[in-house]
Amino acid sequence: MIFAGIDIGSLTSKCVIIDENKILAYEISRVTPKIEDVAEMVYRNALMKANLSEKDVKVVIATGYGRNKVKFAKDRVTEITCHALGAKYLIPTTRTVIDIGGQDSKVIAVSNNVESFVMNDKCAAGTGRFLEVMASALGVEVSELGELDKKAEKSVSISSTCTVFAESEVISYLASGEKVENIVAGVHNAIASRIAAMAKRVGVKPDVVLTGGVAKNSGVKRALEKELGLEIKVPEEPQIIGALGAALIAKVRYADSRGKSEG
Amino acid sequence: MRVGYFCTFTPKELIEAAGFSPFRILAKESITGIANAHIQSYSCSQARGSLERALRAELQLEGVIFTRSCDTLMRLADIWERNTKMRVYNFEFPTRVDEKSKDFLISEIRDLATTLKLWGGDITLQSLKESIELYKELEKKLEELFSIKPDYELILRVQEMSVKEALKMIKVPQKERDKPKVLITGSVCPFLNVFKLFEEVGFAIKDDLCTGTRFFSFKYPEIDINSIEDGFRYLAEKYLYKAECPTKHYERERRFRRILELSKDCNGVIFLLMKFCDPHFFDYPQLKEELEEMGKKTMLLEIEFPAVSLEQLRTRLEAFYEVISC
Ligand SMILES: Nc1ncnc2c1ncn2[C@@H]1O[C@H](COP(=O)(O)OP(=O)(O)O)[C@@H](O)[C@H]1O
């Protein structure tokens, strides 16, 4: 039996197709303003990869910022619950999930379900957007940030939490001849201290799992581990954890509805 | 003629008895623009938004009564006096709320009555008795209504009119079907779309808000009013035993005890706190801890007015709904 989870984020849309036991396929693509079309497309592409068609799928659940625009989904669940369930499925010892996406970040305390959570505020500090702005000021790609971080000899300090001010600090470091990798390390430390403050409000219990697109950046993982003083686990493909959680909920919803009709 | 006030510790009975119509000043839709020239951006949006309304001449008021509550409101009084044509009066409600402050409060009430007289409103024994009675009636009715189903549109409106008109507006609502119930605690929330969001997500609500139940929750003294002085003493006692606010100091944790009591039949507690509201934020960690010890789930929602990022609020509320209903 086949289930699907669709996560429409602020920057990317993700779809995960599962059967009872495993992940069959997934797809990640950029979001455009026509969310309905994006959802349709990412769903079809994921199905194609799995060699399946829409009629094979029993239940679809949508999550993420654009979840209400996914008309073909049976139901909508917030990304908080989905990230918790997705992380817990891949790493059963998960007690804390830190999800850093394009425009928000959250820290979730998990036991069997979500215990509590905090989300970042309106501004871009502590999100993928912050890293994108910094990468562009430094003239590098976000996907290069992890490697640059490894080359750093030291880390500059970035005192502003505001993205706009932090960007001008970065530019003035560049102007003073500081090495790009040292600035990158500083940027990672800045975002880590912001996220760690949020995490401490929820309480950090191991295992801590980092999810969302920013988890692909090993420099952020490095900085967060230092800031929190513990090891952080990152799933193989951290960007699809929300969609995976949604697919898992689809599976449970299907079982529940059958249980009801049989009983 | 209307007299404005901010804080629910203002004895509205006096304003009414003096022949004015009490008008609660709250931030509205306008984004703070002109007010930024006069007040710091790290003041709460209730203070900034209210000043904005005054500067844009949206408020037609004879005068405004400020009370001693938070620092921001105290300083707002000075800014208001310098930058508007309205008369301003500072009513010094004692910060320490206990029996020892009663005499002081009575003398403050007396001074306020004198001020209202200077503003052209004369208080008589008859008018004072009447307004005390009418307010009690309004408060009792609101209490009954809120115990069935809170109506935030109504309660915001009754705070902008005389008590006689307010009484005419009360209608008893229908009881709701069973839903997960949350207690919302915080200061003011003049934005109906925030409450609507709670309903859309599927919550039944109960509140400890300054624009909600704290407007009408009192313990009434047993005093026969045979003179104006009796009336002042009555008001002092009534307001000393009003629903608690974090800007005051109480004996034996009165405020926390009220909130813990209110939360008993709720599935969770939501702190709806306005950004930069120090009194509420300083109480938050301890109160949250005590609620969680009781087994209540809690969530902090930090808001600013006008409430615009509603979708972010919605996600948080939906996630909280998922947390308490699983
Ligand atoms: N290969 C990568 N290396 C480093 N960072 C990445 C990579 N891919 C994506 N990101 C980061 O992930 C963010 C998007 O995360 P995602 O979880 O997809 O966001 P959302 O769910 O909000 O759309 C981007 O802002 C970017 O910073």
Side-chain angles (χ1 to χ4, degrees), chain B residues 52-323:
Chain B
E52 182 75 19
R53 291 184 75 192
L55 298 176
R56 286 183 189 224
E58 282 175 27
L59 302 170
Q60 305 306 324
L61 304 169
E62 245 347 84
V64 179
I65 297 164
F66 287 79
T67 49
R68 179 166 290 278
S69 52
C70 61
D71 288 346
T72 305
L73 199 56
M74 291 310 298
R75 300 285 74 82
L76 183 63
D78 303 333
I79 298 173
W80 207 278
E81 197 163 22
R82 286 178 73 113
N83 296 289
T84 75
K85 294 207 169 64
M86 291 174 230
R87 285 185 278 217
V88 165
Y89 182 75
N90 283 308
F91 176 67
E92 297 284 339
F93 199 101
T95 300
R96 204 172 92 181
V97 179
D98 58 18
E99 283 298 312
K100 280 187 228 154
S101 19
K102 199 194 296 175
D103 287 339
F104 175 76
L105 181 54
I106 295 173
S107 72
E108 275 302 304
I109 290 174
R110 206 178 285 130
D111 289 353
L112 175 58
T114 310
T115 303
L116 288 166
K117 189 166 186 175
L118 290 175
W119 291 3
D122 210 358
I123 295 171
T124 64
L125 174 59
Q126 172 80 32
S127 72
L128 185 58
K129 270 177 88 164
E130 188 186 51
S131 97
I132 285 177
E133 272 315 308
L134 289 173
Y135 266 105
K136 187 171 170 182
E137 191 184 336
L138 177 69
E139 287 148 9
K140 291 273 182 199
K141 285 196 166 151
L142 287 168
E143 191 175 355
E144 189 198 340
L145 186 151
F146 267 62
S147 72
I148 303 170
K149 184 179 187 292
D151 183 341
Y152 294 97
E153 190 177 349
L154 175 80
I155 196 156
L156 289 168
R157 282 180 67 193
V158 301
Q159 297 181 55
E160 296 189 336
M161 57 182 63
S162 89
V163 66
K164 283 183 192 137
E165 287 170 65
L167 273 163
K168 286 187 216 144
M169 300 191 51
I170 306 241
K171 285 188 206 78
V172 178
Q174 296 255 305
K175 209 174 151 26
E176 284 188 294
R177 67 178 170 85
D178 273 348
K179 294 183 196 167
K181 195 180 208 175
V182 286
L183 174 70
I184 309 175
T185 177
S187 58
V188 298
C189 180
F191 289 90
L192 292 174
N193 49 6
V194 173
F195 298 108
K196 203 162 145 257
L197 207 56
F198 276 84
E199 282 200 22
E200 283 170 9
V201 170
F203 288 116
I205 43 192
K206 196 172 169 182
D207 81 77
D208 164 57
L209 294 173
C210 186
T211 44
T213 64
R214 293 217 299 270
F215 174 73
F216 59 74
S217 301
F218 292 93
K219 224 167 76 187
Y220 299 93
E222 309 263 335
I223 295 176
D224 286 332
I225 303 170
N226 298 313
S227 65
I228 289 186
E229 271 300 311
D230 288 343
F232 292 167
R233 198 153 52 85
Y234 178 99
L235 287 176
E237 288 199 16
K238 174 176 171 181
Y239 279 85
L240 282 177
Y241 291 96
K242 160 190 187 315
E244 294 76 10
C245 162
T247 62
K248 309 272 181 285
H249 298 299
Y250 297 99
E251 292 171 297
R252 288 172 292 117
E253 307 277 341
R254 247 176 69 188
R255 180 170 114 85
F256 280 18
R257 279 190 292 139
R258 169 178 142 93
I259 293 170
L260 296 180
E261 187 59 40
L262 282 173
S263 73
K264 275 190 181 150
D265 66 339
C266 295
N267 303 72
V269 179
I270 289 180
F271 290 82
L272 187 70
L273 305 190
M274 222 186 319
K275 212 179 195 97
F276 309 116
C277 179
D278 288 348
H280 274 277
F281 272 104
F282 280 121
D283 273 2
Y284 166 71
Q286 199 189 341
L287 187 52
K288 167 188 151 80
E289 215 171 274
E290 292 194 20
L291 286 162
E292 286 176 354
E293 272 167 25
M294 260 175 85
K296 301 292 169 196
K297 294 275 183 199
T298 68
M299 179 167 68
L300 170 64
L301 288 182
E302 213 174 307
I303 51 165
E304 276 203 284
F305 301 143
V308 282
S309 313
L310 283 180
E311 289 311 306
Q312 284 203 343
L313 272 189
R314 186 192 300 278
T315 297
R316 285 167 167 81
L317 284 178
E318 285 183 0
F320 193 66
Y321 187 92
E322 289 161 9
V323 170

Side-chain angles (χ1 to χ4, degrees), chain A residues 7-14 28-31 64-65 79 83 99-104 106 127-133 141-146 211-218 220 237-240:
Chain A
D7 175 3
I8 309 291
S10 56
L11 285 177
T12 62
S13 57
K14 284 80 61 174
I28 303 171
S29 54
R30 287 299 283 198
V31 164
Y65 182 71
E79 48 276 37
H83 273 273
D99 165 45
I100 313 179
Q103 275 177 26
D104 65 18
K106 37 196 157 310
T127 72
R129 170 66 68 206
F130 179 81
L131 293 172
E132 288 181 14
V133 172
E141 295 293 323
V142 277
S143 54
E144 297 172 71
L145 292 173
T211 66
V214 173
K216 291 184 176 177
N217 177 339
S218 61
V220 171
E237 179 40 272
Q239 211 165 359
I240 61 163

Side-chain angles (χ1 to χ4, degrees), chain A residues 67 77-78 80-81 114-115 117 119-122 201, chain B residues 275 297 299-300 309 315-316 318-320 322-323 326:
Chain A
R67 63 190 176 282
V77 177
T78 64
I80 290 107
T81 301
V114 174
E115 280 291 313
F117 64 92
M119 277 172 88
N120 81 318
D121 235 326
K122 282 199 266 253
R201 272 170 52 196
Chain B
K275 212 179 195 97
K297 294 275 183 199
M299 179 167 68
L300 170 64
S309 313
T315 297
R316 285 167 167 81
E318 285 183 0
F320 193 66
E322 289 161 9
V323 170
C326 71

